[in-house]
Amino acid sequence: MRTGTMDINAEGHLEIGGCDTIRLAKEYGTPLYILDEEAVVQNSREYLQSLQRLPRSQVVYAGKAFLTLGMCRIVDKLGLGLDVVSGGELYTALQAEFPAERIYFHGNNKSLFELESAIQAGVGRIVVDNRYELELLSQLAIKHHTQVSVLLRVTPGVEAHTHTYIQTGQEDSKFGVGLANDAALAMLKCIKALPNIDLKGVHCHIGSQIFDISCFKIAIDLMFDFIVQAAHHGIVVDELDLGGGLGIRYTEADDPVSITKFGHLLTETVLTACQQRSLTVPKIIIEPGRSLVGEAGTTIYEVGAIKDIPGIRKYASVDGGMGDNPRVALYQAQYHAIVANKPNETADFVYTIAGKCCESGDMLIHDGKLPFLEPGDILAILSTGAYNYSMASNYNLIPRLAVVTVYKGESELLVERESYADLVRLQKIPDRLCKKSVY
Ligand code: LLP
């Protein structure tokens, strides 16, 4: 069912990557993110294999889902590319010595500094979003006497979300350039006219947590129509980047398409589209984030106060919450939990799992079925690998949690737990406020 190595060991504890999660809780403290490295390896290999029928392809991990120095190393060792969306992500990748030529730099408002850093680092592709950026890029490329290889981000007018998608004639998006009114074609012409910019291809990303993958077919066909249109104007598009978006299983109600099925659909659609249009198959790039790391992550918490409001609800509070997982409050995301110290007990009770922030919306699970809970139980919330740590905050000045990677029975820190000292490390008390009498 789920990818990865989750199991129940002889002690009756939840085990991930051959490591007892109760021991991990003791060793590293809670709350704790646990990355099942084997799951990332399995998912990556599945992606690579599923695209094998394409003459040229590249799987690029979307770092926004979860990025640390160690994660960059994992991605590198698997031979994947890396999609970064900010100077901070780029810096992290370079600090981890990630090969610059496999970095794809995204963003709808990259700063001059970010673009210059990317050029100086020699990143493989810059995904151009708009004309302003293109002009900055061209000036920088000339200044640095270099050629910059770019993809143009196009909004094909297909927008997909979990179960549905819509096709829009006009594309209302802060990202990229629309196909309508030949706006994208005009940008391609503009790119071709610039001296130090080398147009490699086009890019689209139609959404995230997608279950109905037929929308990718529609997007692919639209993109190939665009590639044909470009060819009529003498513009060769050699690379097509289809973005990310495949959905994962958060709760038992989710039924995502497998990576293999998704890869095969992309392959078939691309090969057919090229055959129909008598096109050479371009290099196909995909940028999975969530589907590579989402199910590989688990967060463990210690249960504290339990509040039973008779006839209304049972609340069990844990030692983390919206600071480490803002997705519930932000997107009404749903999660599934297991009690790691008694995973075999039947889920006969209904609890709402509350975080410890001073905010009523700070919940992790609304009315979830769980075994009887007691203070000290270790609760494991599944599928927290994507967009949890990367979106974590210090709200209420709660230190961000530690991240460990588990692999074949061994655990190692990817990120240390923040200390209270870390919380105030960048803060200053102005001199004026150090005087005795101020106001
Ligand atoms: N490529 C581009 C250009 C993207 O914008 C994204 C995600 C991806 C790839 C990766 O998509 P994935 O395979 O992870 O679906 N914070 C939200 C998700 C935002 C996704 C933004 N873009 C959440 O927690 O659900």
Side-chain angles (χ1 to χ4, degrees), residues 167-180:
Q167 268 185 281
T168 51
Q170 48 83 335
E171 301 83 3
D172 183 359
S173 171
K174 75 165 184 170
F175 298 110
V177 190
L179 291 175

Side-chain angles (χ1 to χ4, degrees), residues 62 64 83 153 205 208 244-245 287-290 327 331 387 391:
K64 71 208 82 178
D83 145 6
R153 179 155 183 178
H205 170 78
S208 202
E287 299 169 342
R290 194 190 313 263
R327 298 192 69 260
Y331 316 119
Y387 307 110
M391 294 176 75

Side-chain angles (χ1 to χ4, degrees), residues 47-246:
Y47 261 115
L48 293 168
Q49 271 160 18
S50 73
L51 299 176
Q52 260 176 356
R53 283 189 54 227
L54 291 167
R56 289 175 301 154
S57 64
Q58 168 92 72
V59 179
V60 175
Y61 169 62
K64 71 208 82 178
F66 171 73
L67 201 69
T68 69
L69 297 172
M71 186 64 196
C72 290
R73 283 288 163 92
I74 295 171
V75 174
D76 179 21
K77 295 205 185 294
L78 289 166
L80 310 187
L82 181 64
D83 145 6
V84 301
V85 292
S86 69
E89 287 188 357
L90 176 62
Y91 176 82
T92 304
L94 297 175
Q95 284 294 110
E97 293 163 2
F98 193 90
E101 66 277 8
R102 268 192 272 138
I103 296 179
Y104 288 63
F105 191 22
H106 277 273
N108 64 306
N109 192 25
K110 305 175 194 77
S111 70
L112 190 72
F113 175 76
E114 288 174 322
L115 289 171
E116 193 154 27
S117 312
I119 290 175
Q120 282 174 321
V123 303
R125 297 285 179 271
I126 294 184
V127 184
V128 171
D129 181 276
N130 55 72
R131 201 173 283 255
Y132 171 69
E133 177 188 330
L134 191 58
E135 277 158 20
L136 291 181
L137 207 52
S138 160
Q139 287 160 20
L140 287 170
I142 292 166
K143 176 179 160 194
H144 289 277
H145 310 288
T146 185
Q147 284 288 113
V148 176
S149 298
V150 303
L151 304 180
L152 172 65
R153 179 155 183 178
V154 171
T155 35
V158 180
E159 230 185 279
H161 302 284
T162 304
H163 294 283
T164 55
Y165 65 88
I166 47 165
Q167 268 185 281
T168 51
Q170 48 83 335
E171 301 83 3
D172 183 359
S173 171
K174 75 165 184 170
F175 298 110
V177 190
L179 291 175
N181 307 318
D182 287 342
L185 183 66
M187 271 288 273
L188 281 191
K189 287 182 183 165
C190 184
I191 295 174
K192 287 303 280 182
L194 289 168
N196 291 43
I197 307 288
D198 185 9
L199 176 76
K200 294 288 187 190
V202 290
H203 170 282
C204 68
H205 170 78
I206 58 171
S208 202
Q209 184 60 0
I210 298 171
F211 287 161
D212 176 3
I213 59 170
S214 64
C215 52
F216 282 97
K217 262 185 158 174
I218 295 172
I220 290 171
D221 277 321
L222 287 166
M223 292 302 280
F224 275 110
D225 287 343
F226 178 55
I227 290 173
V228 169
Q229 197 192 8
H232 288 151
H233 289 81
I235 300 170
V236 179
V237 171
D238 187 46
E239 298 179 7
L240 172 59
D241 186 334
L242 296 167
L246 183 63

Side-chain angles (χ1 to χ4, degrees), residues 7-15 20-23 340-343:
D7 208 347
I8 297 172
N9 65 15
E11 282 174 81
H13 294 165
L14 178 69
E15 182 179 276
D20 184 318
T21 54
I22 304 307
R23 276 205 208 119
N341 49 309
K342 45 188 184 193

